[in-house]
Amino acid sequence: MHISDSRGVSAQAAGPDALAAHAVDAIEGLSGIHPGYRRAHAKGICCRAVFRPNGLAAAFTTAPHLQLQESEAIVRFSGSSTDPALADVLSPAKGMAVQFSLPDGEVSSLVGVTIPVFFARTPESFVDIVQSVHQARKGKLGPIDLVKEITAHFSESKEAMLAVRRLKPPASYAESHYYCIHAYFFKDHEGNSRPVKFEWKPDAGVRSLSAGDAAAQPDNYLEEELELRLKDEPAVFQLIAVFGEKDDPTDDPTRAWPEDRRRIGIGRLFITGITGEQEGLVMDPSAISEGMALSDDPILHFRHAAYADSHRRRSRER
Ligand code: HEM
């Protein structure tokens, strides 16, 4: 199996933009180019929302949207596949990206998925793993053998692959739990800094479908269910802050923190309706407000260039 790639090394030497273009090329290799669509999480639905913070985060951060004043937000739910035509039931992990509007006209984003860890520790290994998946698929490996092959060569992927195998088809985008994976830092008024991760916990609880029920669903069942649900009531999520302790890794998205870490609910997101997609919407997880800082996670930093590259490609095609 192909496990290393010299083009990746030369792209890395040329800088983050070249490596980002290389990563997006690798993603395109998985299911081809779908003009006008995001290169990952291609199929999605945008919603309007309001975030109401409860004030509990104010002791830890000066972030304006996490004090007491409500802010508007855009939410995009998505399937993880690179193919926008893939049936919902066939893309295992789902995404929930939230972009808060800040009082100064800027935005702050949190991007989550339904697994707690990522499969790659660095941008370079991301490229190698995606290319290896592509090679393994060309060799007609089934899903279980593919997972075995990848985890045999890339031990960092083990936790994420296990998490994907445990996923069941969700009953609803609004009844799924989303993890924002990367560590950030909260900054308080005195300049103190604390490591923190975020999760979106659905008020409606988590519900999945049996294999039989899932097989009977139409291709776009998650979007259809959400549209119907929002006609009756908002979909509500609690934003959970999880605080890291000494020695919890902040630079490694493949490793979860221990389960007993302090968790507090810091506000609720009320999703009230469907909107069309805004031209230019990029859910960049490195776009954050004052009162927050990025951790040293190389994947978190790299996503800015990769998402910008994908946005450039899809805008040109529209
Ligand atoms: C090297 C790491 C990664 C690369 C190269 C990558 C690449 C991409 C690309 C190219 C897009 C489309 C962006 C656009 O056109 O706007 C995307 C979207 C997305 N990615 Fe990643 N990604 C990475 C890591 C992650 C991680 C760790 C997560 C987990 C939270 C994640 C979750 C998502 C979600 C939810 C979307 C859809 C965002 C939206 O709805 O606009 N990605 N990714």
Side-chain angles (χ1 to χ4, degrees):
M1 190 166 84
H2 177 106
I3 56 166
S4 68
D5 179 44
S6 57
R7 284 181 307 153
V9 174
S10 55
Q12 182 192 6
D17 287 346
L19 185 57
H22 190 49
V24 176
D25 288 344
I27 299 172
E28 285 181 352
L30 292 175
S31 76
I33 295 175
H34 305 279
Y37 285 92
R38 283 170 174 70
R39 273 20 187 188
H41 291 257
K43 182 181 191 180
I45 182 165
C46 285
C47 308
R48 75 182 79 87
V50 173
F51 181 68
R52 301 202 174 108
N54 58 17
L56 292 181
F60 310 105
T61 174
T62 55
H65 58 304
L66 302 181
Q67 307 299 305
L68 274 172
Q69 198 186 327
E70 71 176 38
S71 46
E72 291 187 353
I74 299 170
V75 180
R76 184 173 178 273
F77 291 104
S78 57
S80 53
S81 174
T82 57
D83 179 356
L86 195 74
D88 289 343
V89 77
L90 295 178
S91 72
K94 306 299 175 197
M96 174 177 166
V98 180
Q99 190 182 77
F100 303 87
S101 297
L102 302 178
D104 62 1
E106 296 294 318
V107 296
S108 188
S109 302
L110 284 176
V111 183
V113 282
T114 47
I115 55 172
V117 286
F118 196 50
F119 61 82
R121 188 172 181 184
T122 64
E124 293 78 12
S125 63
F126 174 89
V127 173
D128 282 347
I129 293 168
V130 171
Q131 288 178 334
S132 301
V133 168
H134 184 48
Q135 294 297 324
R137 280 196 194 157
K138 277 209 290 200
K140 302 264 184 289
L141 279 191
I144 292 179
D145 288 333
L146 189 142
V147 167
K148 279 192 194 148
E149 275 292 308
I150 296 298
T151 49
H153 285 97
F154 302 97
S155 57
E156 70 198 63
S157 297
K158 212 166 260 170
E159 281 305 311
M161 294 292 172
L162 275 175
V164 169
R165 280 182 65 178
R166 281 195 290 262
L167 282 175
K168 299 200 176 93
S172 167
Y173 277 135
E175 292 175 82
S176 299
H177 189 107
Y178 300 87
Y179 304 84
C180 302
I181 294 188
H182 303 291
Y184 293 84
F185 290 98
F186 268 161
K187 303 262 184 199
D188 68 16
H189 283 284
E190 275 81 48
N192 300 311
S193 182
R194 291 178 183 81
V196 63
K197 289 188 182 186
F198 298 96
E199 297 177 17
W200 290 108
K201 181 179 175 204
D203 271 13
V206 172
R207 194 164 59 93
S208 51
L209 299 178
S210 68
D213 284 350
Q217 297 302 316
D219 282 2
N220 300 326
Y221 79 95
L222 286 174
E223 293 188 7
E224 288 163 14
E225 193 278 343
L226 189 66
E227 280 175 27
L228 278 181
R229 174 186 293 262
L230 295 182
K231 284 188 181 143
D232 289 339
E233 57 183 11
V236 185
F237 287 84
Q238 193 178 14
L239 180 57
I240 309 284
V242 183
F243 290 92
E245 294 181 9
K246 191 173 171 295
D247 297 333
D248 288 343
T250 54
D251 63 349
D252 186 349
T254 68
R255 286 172 61 203
W257 288 347
E259 284 189 0
D260 62 356
R261 291 297 176 255
R262 183 180 181 199
R263 306 163 61 83
I264 55 172
I266 58 174
R268 278 195 159 72
L269 183 74
F270 294 79
I271 302 173
T272 51
I274 308 291
T275 61
E277 170 119 8
Q278 287 177 8
E279 192 61 44
L281 178 67
V282 180
M283 297 293 200
D284 175 357
S286 68
I288 48 170
S289 72
E290 56 133 321
M292 287 177 65
L294 302 182
S295 66
D296 36 1
D297 178 339
I299 294 277
L300 174 56
H301 289 263
F302 180 67
R303 286 172 71 185
H304 174 76
Y307 287 36
D309 186 277
S310 168
H311 177 247
R312 262 193 304 278
R313 294 184 196 206
R314 62 183 164 94
S315 308
R316 269 202 305 263
E317 295 156 352
R318 288 212 162 201

